[in-house]
Amino acid sequence: MICLGIEGTAHSIGVGVVENVSGKCKVLSNMIKIYRPKKGGIHPREAANHHALYIADLLKESVSKAQVDFSEVDLISFSKGPGLGPCLRTAATAARALSLSLNRPIIGVNHCVAHLEIGRGTLDDCKDPVLLYTSGANTQVIAFAEGRYRVFGETLDIGIGNCLDKFGRTVGLDFPCGPQIEKLASKGKKYLELPYSIKGMDIAFSGLLTAAEQYYKKNESLEDICYSMQETTFAALTEVTERAMAHTEKDEVLLGGGVASNRRLCDMVQTMAHDRDARFFVPSKDLCIDNGAMIAWLGVLMYNSGIRMKVENSFIDQRFRTDMVDVSWHD
Amino acid sequence: MTKKNIIYRGAEAEICIAKYKGFKAIQKKRIPKSYRIKHIDDRLISLRTKEEAKLITEARQSGVAVPIIYDVDLKNGIITMEYLDGKRIKDVLNDLSEEERDSICTKIGESIARFHNNDIIHGDITTSNMILSNEQVHFIDFGLGEKNNEIEAKGVDLHVLMEAIESTHSQYSSCFDYVLEEYKKVLKDDANLVIKKIQEIVKRGRYR
Ligand SMILES: Nc1ncnc2c1ncn2[C@@H]1O[C@H](COP(=O)(O)OP(=O)(O)O)[C@@H](O)[C@H]1O
Ligand SMILES: [Mg+2]
């Protein structure tokens, strides 16, 4: 089965084509276009306009890169949510149009669950992981329990990516700031005390962000501040992930989301996994960030487990919760 | 203390059976984590050990069932406390009758209100951190707690329990309502403000 997936929950519009090869996911193509606001944060309507502008070309490019013909696509999948309304609507509209014109079934999927399933689908031996999903808006610890993917921990205020980006903007770095902060942090030496806030398996960053901005006003070295921010936030993320692993008694950990490309975060989670005899997994970068291939793959899993959706019922859901998905394909 | 008698190895601590002046005791030792820098590791271990011992003692004074603290070793991150002979609520809740479950949840709500009345925030209210012993629900593991009088902190505290019940006792999500029912009765301040806060927190996080 070949499925085309359209991702459009926030600043990225992506189209991916995947094939089900005896239960594993073969990515045939995965094209992504990222909207970068000139200044300030993401504006939903502008992002949606950006997506509308590029979606037609992305569809064509992705299908040709996959070396298939539109007629060979068996299923159309799209990101139903959670995300920004205008962006979701743009992606869903494109999916509906494609489904009707090709006369192929359509299916709407949960974006957060897709981040987990793409790990299970593409990585050998990744079977039942705890996912640490870190992106701009999302920071969640997700694992399978009692028939569903459940959120064991999450941010109580802002996502880790937003925290790094907000700090970056304050000190004049270009968006997205994560990679530059990582570079600066690697040169930092002195640890500056920052709030470390975890509650149960939840986590908060806004106090730390304020404290970091204050260090900057007091002319502390930017390198030291970035170093201290990374060490503190990533240690807290690793800790809540380990707590979820102990709680659910799982011995696999998977990273997902854009912040998973940070070397230091990977190192910390990998060390934690090693120390508790657990296995560590991280998909390739294009499958970590928001992308169409993961949406396509989850579509395949759902369709094959018998789930069907009519075009007239292919709604979006801005607040689509991870634990609302009835996971009938997981054993 | 020998390594042999470890009865539990959690995410952050090891629990051993020990003796303290003839009493059966347990020792909770926080283990250094090699993934984080020493500065953060040292700070967290000593802060949490200190905070946990202090809050358990204060919770007892608020009329909440907790283990007796025998000894605290800040340098090595070890707390020696009373051994509670019983089972974790996590392991029994799903197997109880409806009636027993209500009664346990009522006790949980009462205890939380009591420590909240004294501005004690537990920080990790889950059913793994409650032990049913002598028909009383004992609270343990205050290491992520703090003293805080804000509605926000109390809301976050209860939100942790709500999530724990949803994920670990998903068939019995009404448990949380029973907890809140008793919480409302025992809390001195207006519990509706705290409950409103919980709803606000739910919207903030998971729903973006
Ligand atoms: N005072 C005690 N008496 C008996 N068992 C205990 C006691 N304290 C802890 N335990 C057992 O050890 C486990 C872990 O203890 P806890 O303090 O919650 O540490 P952690 O921070 O690792 O969760 C508990 O779930 C319980 O089974
Ligand atoms: Mg515990």
Side-chain angles (χ1 to χ4, degrees), chain A residues 279-311:
Chain A
R279 271 163 310 158
F280 168 80
F281 299 99
V282 55
S284 63
K285 190 183 170 189
D286 68 313
L287 296 176
C288 272
I289 59 178
D290 291 353
N291 69 90
M294 67 176 193
I295 300 298
W297 178 242
L298 179 51
V300 170
L301 293 174
M302 290 174 67
Y303 192 84
N304 283 345
S305 80
I307 297 166
R308 298 290 180 270
M309 186 179 272
K310 291 209 172 83
V311 173

Side-chain angles (χ1 to χ4, degrees), chain A residues 82 138 146 154 156 191 193-194 196 199-200 202 231 239 242-243 247 264 268 271 275 321 323, chain B residues 33-35 37 39 43-44 48 90 123-124 144 146 159 163 168 170-171 204-208:
Chain A
N138 290 307
E146 300 193 20
E154 64 190 317
L156 291 166
Y191 180 76
E193 205 87 19
L194 285 170
Y196 182 104
K199 302 281 163 217
D202 293 332
E231 289 303 321
E239 180 170 10
E242 181 168 23
R243 292 169 71 84
H247 184 82
R264 181 62 181 138
M268 278 203 210
T271 304
D275 287 353
R321 287 169 43 162
D323 59 8
Chain B
K33 295 288 177 188
S34 61
Y35 64 77
I37 56 174
H39 186 112
R43 178 181 96 187
L44 289 177
R48 289 180 184 170
K90 180 188 179 191
D124 192 18
L144 295 179
E146 58 171 340
H159 178 253
E163 286 189 317
T168 317
S170 53
Q171 319 90 294
R204 241 189 273 163
R206 191 174 298 175
Y207 298 9
R208 326 192 172 195

